[in-house]
Amino acid sequence: MGAGRCARAGPKTGSAPVSAALEEQFCPVCVPPGLGMVLAAPELVGASRVCTLGGPDPLDYVSMYRNVGNPALNVPEHWHYVSFGLSDLYGDNRVHEFTGTDGPSGFGFELTFRLKRETGESAPPTWPAELMQGLARYVFQSENTFCSGDHVSWHSPLDNSESRIQHMLLTEDPQMQPVQTPFGVVTFLQIVGVCTEELHAAQQWNGQGILELLRTVPVAGGPWLITDMRRGETIFEIDPHLQERVDKGIETDGSNLSGVSAKCAWDDLSRPPEDDEDSRSICIGTQPRRLSGKDTEQIRETLRRGLEINSKPVLPPINAQRQNGLNHDRAPSRKDSLESESSAAIIPHELIRTRQLESVHLKFNQESGALIPLCLRGRLLHGRHFTYKSITGDTAITFVSTGVEGAFATEEHPYAAHGPWLQILLTEEFVERMLEDLEDLNSPEEFKLPKEYSWPEKKLKVSILPDAVFDNPLH
């Protein structure tokens, strides 16, 4: 597709041939009628050095188009970006394992992005290509894929300006349909820039719900969810009634955020510090025991349905809840399961004993701690679970509600550890009490760190600590 060439015209110089079907989806020579794309100049941003050659860039290139929009639908003119490289472009196992034509091609998707064209702008900005490279780099490194409804915590203006658009949601591209290529099926996920308040709403409720609200506000995205980096107001400032819809959705549906990667740790207060024999507790500054492969996969499946909380340059996203994943809304119990549908029931590794603990101390940084009320109100009160996975080691903390299937924590023994993985079972009554005691976490800017909460009769302590404690564990 580079330099305006389609697959039937031959590959561009110096690159491997790409799938003809994928090229026909976008090639300016082969644009389907009514697609409304006009090739922009420059139309291609190639990787400075692709990862297959030992470089840092996972995408082969990003193509950019001038899209005339759709005046009848009040869709403005914009720049349309399409990535190439997350799907299999070669079919020779050099980048992706070729598994046949019926399955996903590579990771099964490519990224797109729609950026509002500014008046007088003759060429598309190139920063979205760098953004796509960053997201693709995360996918290649973590092997976690994206799906519609995911939300990405970026913590910085997407274009490095002073914009309020500092995070992302992902959804199906409104124009690009899945395509069958000789190397498998490719779908197209569109990046949608959002404000911090909109990201938080997606965390507390769900990404799809916020995307639907964005579609109803033309200046915030409209039907094609076009990102305007100059947007200065959130959808809740533009239309205050939308906050009521979010609040009702949270009350009715809860949150579909099932896990985050975070700065966290836990201590077993029931075991003397000097008693290291057969210890499974995780203390800041100690070398954690590694999780078994089965445990790692179970937590990984949970986190694939959540959002990673890291700020740049440690990349943020992990998949939000898929519709066909954990059955959060099944009637009548609404109880969740720790087992994913993509794997068989996971049995704890026989070589690591599951221990019941008498007393535990949980440690979080401020950003992770701010999500505890979401965990309690949006997850546990709806019969679900929530996992914190440490970004610095194998430590994992999973909160579970009564009746969650597959949990090794019980009402009789609410604190249980399997290697460095801690599960904490909280009853609905205790959750309600914790929400009252943790109310100031909803306004973290109003309290100073460190902050400690304690429930002596439950033998539970929670500390909110500065980032430096986790960044320099031996300090």
Side-chain angles (χ1 to χ4, degrees):
M1 180 171 116
R5 301 173 68 89
C6 68
R8 66 171 64 96
K12 58 185 171 59
T13 303
S15 73
V18 299
S19 162
L22 194 56
E23 284 292 322
E24 288 177 0
Q25 183 84 2
F26 304 110
C27 177
V29 179
C30 313
V31 170
L35 196 56
M37 288 184 175
V38 178
L39 186 63
E43 80 282 0
L44 179 74
V45 173
S48 58
R49 192 177 178 205
V50 296
C51 60
T52 53
L53 299 176
D57 297 323
L59 297 176
D60 286 59
Y61 51 94
V62 175
S63 289
M64 302 177 288
Y65 299 89
R66 179 174 169 179
N67 192 308
V68 299
N70 189 325
L73 298 177
N74 197 26
V75 175
E77 189 173 335
H78 58 279
W79 304 111
H80 194 190
Y81 301 76
V82 182
S83 75
F84 282 80
L86 287 163
S87 62
D88 190 353
L89 304 182
Y90 307 104
D92 57 7
N93 295 308
R94 80 172 78 173
V95 180
H96 301 284
E97 180 182 359
F98 177 56
T99 57
T101 59
D102 296 331
S105 171
F107 288 108
F109 69 96
E110 293 288 356
L111 295 169
T112 74
F113 184 63
R114 296 175 184 269
L115 177 66
K116 183 180 178 182
R117 178 175 175 262
E118 300 297 336
T119 302
E121 203 169 42
S122 60
T126 58
W127 63 262
E130 294 300 319
L131 188 72
M132 287 178 162
Q133 289 284 12
L135 292 174
R137 190 173 298 113
Y138 166 78
V139 173
F140 273 89
Q141 291 175 352
S142 68
E143 296 186 351
N144 288 314
T145 58
F146 297 117
C147 68
S148 181
D150 284 355
H151 33 284
V152 179
S153 179
W154 194 252
H155 301 284
S156 177
L158 303 187
D159 60 352
N160 294 315
S161 67
E162 300 299 320
S163 174
R164 294 185 70 178
I165 308 301
Q166 301 188 8
H167 309 280
M168 292 166 272
L169 300 180
L170 291 123
T171 188
E172 298 92 348
D173 189 291
Q175 287 184 300
M176 315 315 296
Q177 299 301 313
V179 60
Q180 176 70 56
T181 80
F183 309 141
V185 179
V186 182
T187 59
F188 300 94
L189 291 179
Q190 180 178 323
I191 300 166
V192 181
V194 295
C195 303
T196 298
E197 295 83 352
E198 294 154 0
L199 172 81
H200 289 167
Q203 291 176 327
Q204 295 164 8
W205 184 24
N206 61 70
Q208 294 290 5
I210 301 304
L211 287 164
E212 289 305 313
L213 297 185
L214 290 167
R215 287 187 176 97
T216 67
V217 182
V219 297
W224 288 9
L225 294 170
I226 297 168
T227 298
D228 181 358
M229 295 303 296
R230 295 191 178 185
R231 173 161 68 97
E233 294 181 301
T234 71
I235 57 173
F236 308 114
E237 293 167 336
I238 296 170
D239 184 354
H241 293 96
L242 295 182
Q243 184 62 57
E244 299 175 6
R245 293 177 60 179
V246 173
D247 293 340
K248 183 177 180 180
I250 295 172
E251 180 181 354
T252 303
D253 306 327
S255 172
N256 73 349
L257 180 63
S258 61
V260 296
S261 291
K263 293 181 178 180
C264 63
W266 62 272
D267 290 335
D268 177 5
L269 298 182
S270 57
R271 179 182 294 275
E274 64 275 7
D275 184 3
D276 293 329
E277 184 178 356
D278 198 33
S279 175
R280 300 294 184 261
S281 63
I282 300 300
C283 302
I284 296 179
T286 63
Q287 182 66 31
R289 295 175 181 263
R290 294 197 63 80
L291 287 168
S292 71
K294 291 183 179 180
D295 291 334
T296 299
E297 181 60 23
Q298 183 169 344
I299 295 174
R300 184 175 175 181
E301 286 294 331
T302 297
L303 291 181
R304 279 175 180 167
R305 295 160 172 80
L307 160 131
E308 194 169 55
I309 199 171
N310 310 340
S311 58
K312 294 170 63 179
V314 181
L315 203 64
I318 295 183
N319 278 356
Q321 178 65 45
R322 290 181 173 86
Q323 293 180 352
N324 62 350
L326 300 179
N327 192 352
H328 289 162
D329 302 312
R330 60 176 176 269
S333 68
R334 296 186 302 162
K335 295 302 180 184
D336 206 352
S337 170
L338 278 168
E339 298 172 1
S340 71
E341 292 187 359
S342 63
S343 60
I346 298 173
I347 302 173
H349 196 285
E350 295 178 359
L351 298 180
I352 300 181
R353 179 169 59 90
T354 299
R355 295 190 304 114
Q356 283 75 46
L357 312 180
E358 293 296 325
S359 179
V360 295
H361 181 194
L362 310 181
K363 304 174 183 180
F364 303 95
N365 74 333
Q366 184 170 341
E367 189 172 16
S368 304
L371 290 176
I372 296 177
L374 179 156
C375 159
L376 300 177
R377 181 179 295 108
R379 298 294 298 177
L380 270 64
L381 288 183
H382 288 262
R384 302 171 185 170
H385 59 81
F386 190 89
T387 295
Y388 286 94
K389 173 67 175 68
S390 172
I391 63 174
T392 59
D394 284 336
T395 306
I397 302 170
T398 296
F399 292 89
V400 299
S401 60
T402 304
V404 168
E405 300 172 8
F408 46 79
T410 65
E411 288 193 59
E412 183 180 1
H413 300 288
Y415 313 131
H418 186 68
W421 182 12
L422 174 69
Q423 284 189 10
I424 298 178
L425 187 145
L426 302 176
T427 63
E428 183 173 336
E429 180 182 4
F430 187 33
V431 168
E432 295 284 4
R433 179 183 168 189
M434 290 182 69
L435 282 170
E436 294 180 4
D437 296 340
L438 299 171
E439 186 175 359
D440 56 349
L441 285 180
N442 295 313
S443 303
E445 67 281 355
E446 297 179 4
F447 65 85
K448 296 182 180 180
L449 301 180
K451 183 79 172 180
E452 184 173 296
Y453 306 88
S454 181
W455 298 269
E457 75 285 3
K458 296 291 186 179
K459 299 182 179 179
L460 175 64
K461 183 165 65 173
V462 174
S463 294
I464 311 299
L465 304 171
D467 280 9
V469 174
F470 301 88
D471 297 336
N472 302 289
L474 297 180
H475 185 267

